């Protein structure tokens, strides 16, 4: 990683902390510069706008999610296990990156349409990957769901993603254990 890439990574980490703590709208580039220990003109050498930082947060989350999901599906020993692992990983990632997910779930309206469109396309690609895993399981087992597969996927992702609001890092369950719990509740519908 080049020095410029290292500085950009530090800036993004600072932006995540500042945006998740203060809210995107209330945060300023001065806040980010101060957090990362740079002067504001130096910050602008690496990042053009506050919106660019917000887009970078979304890109990081969605790129990591897509890469992880593809790896999970490719390496799962069965279609059911692929779906189970996707749910567990989504819960674990959400719990482990609550600051990132707080921004993604609460600041989407801050993105102008031209910046939101590619991000929404990435999110749909992730959702479609999960949907394909569910449909592969249904085809392999000949089962059906009491709802559309997309509704099932949206319910699973909604349950997994909402943990950013209530997960307690000091609580009795680790992120992965909580993921196992959530999957245990959701999979019986798939097993129908």
């Amino acid at each position: 990683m080049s020095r410029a890439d290292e500085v950009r990574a530090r800036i993004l980490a600072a932006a995540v902390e500042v945006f998740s703590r203060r809210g995107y709208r209330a945060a300023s580039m001065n806040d980010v510069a101060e957090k990362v220990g740079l002067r504001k003109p130096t910050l602008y050498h690496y990042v053009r706008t506050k919106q660019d930082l917000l887009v970078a947060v979304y890109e990081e989350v969605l790129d990591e999610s897509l890469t992880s999901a593809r790896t999970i599906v490719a390496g799962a020993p069965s279609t059911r296990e692929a779906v189970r692992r996707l749910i567990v990983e989504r819960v674990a990632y959400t719990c482990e990156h609550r600051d990132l997910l707080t921004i993604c779930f609460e600041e989407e309206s801050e993105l102008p349409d031209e910046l939101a469109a590619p991000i929404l396309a990435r999110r749909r690609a992730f959702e479609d990957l999960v949907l394909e895993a569910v449909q592969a399981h249904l085809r392999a087992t000949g089962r059906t769901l009491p709802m559309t597969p997309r509704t099932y996927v949206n319910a699973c992702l909604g349950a997994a993603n909402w943990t950013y609001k209530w997960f307690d890092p000091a609580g009795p369950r680790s992120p992965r254990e909580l993921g196992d719990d959530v999957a245990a509740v959701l999979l019986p519908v798939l097993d129908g």
Side-chain angles (χ1 to χ4, degrees):
M1 182 183 288
S2 72
R3 179 164 172 5
D5 289 338
E6 288 175 15
V7 172
R8 282 186 194 91
R10 285 183 27 235
I11 291 169
L12 184 58
V16 166
E17 188 174 333
V18 169
F19 293 172
S20 67
R21 189 182 74 241
R22 298 195 70 201
Y24 173 79
R25 198 171 276 204
S28 71
M29 290 296 269
N30 281 333
D31 297 327
V32 175
E34 183 179 308
K35 183 72 184 167
V36 81
L38 294 174
R39 292 183 7 211
K40 191 173 173 183
T42 305
L43 178 70
Y44 281 113
H45 173 73
Y46 294 98
V47 181
R48 291 178 328 156
T49 67
K50 188 167 83 164
Q51 278 185 339
D52 288 346
L53 282 173
L54 184 60
V55 169
V57 168
Y58 280 94
E59 289 173 344
E60 178 177 320
V61 168
L62 292 167
D63 289 349
E64 285 180 3
S65 297
L66 270 167
T67 299
S68 174
R70 288 179 181 128
T71 301
I72 287 168
V73 170
S78 70
T79 55
R80 182 187 189 280
E81 185 60 14
V83 175
R84 190 191 77 74
R85 288 179 183 180
L86 286 168
I87 294 168
V88 171
E89 179 59 29
R90 186 79 239 149
V91 171
Y93 183 86
T94 300
C95 293
E96 292 165 352
H97 299 90
R98 287 173 45 222
D99 52 353
L100 278 171
L101 278 296
T102 296
I103 296 164
C104 288
F105 296 140
E106 296 180 11
E107 304 292 356
E108 190 173 300
S109 64
E110 297 296 334
L111 292 169
D113 291 341
E114 69 275 5
L115 296 177
I119 288 168
L120 294 175
R122 277 183 165 133
R123 186 172 72 199
R124 273 190 302 277
F126 173 75
E127 292 166 355
D128 288 347
L129 197 146
V130 177
L131 177 63
E132 289 166 16
V134 168
Q135 290 172 327
H137 178 69
L138 295 173
R139 282 191 304 274
T141 61
R143 291 192 170 102
T144 59
L145 291 169
M147 64 198 77
T148 68
R150 181 147 326 256
T151 299
Y152 176 75
V153 166
N154 287 338
C156 290
L157 293 176
N161 289 336
W162 195 249
T163 59
Y164 89 99
K165 279 288 206 187
W166 56 266
F167 173 70
D168 180 3
R173 307 295 278 164
S174 73
R176 207 147 292 280
E177 290 169 334
L178 182 61
D180 287 332
D181 293 346
V182 171
V185 169
L186 297 171
L187 285 173
V189 176
L190 190 63
D191 294 335

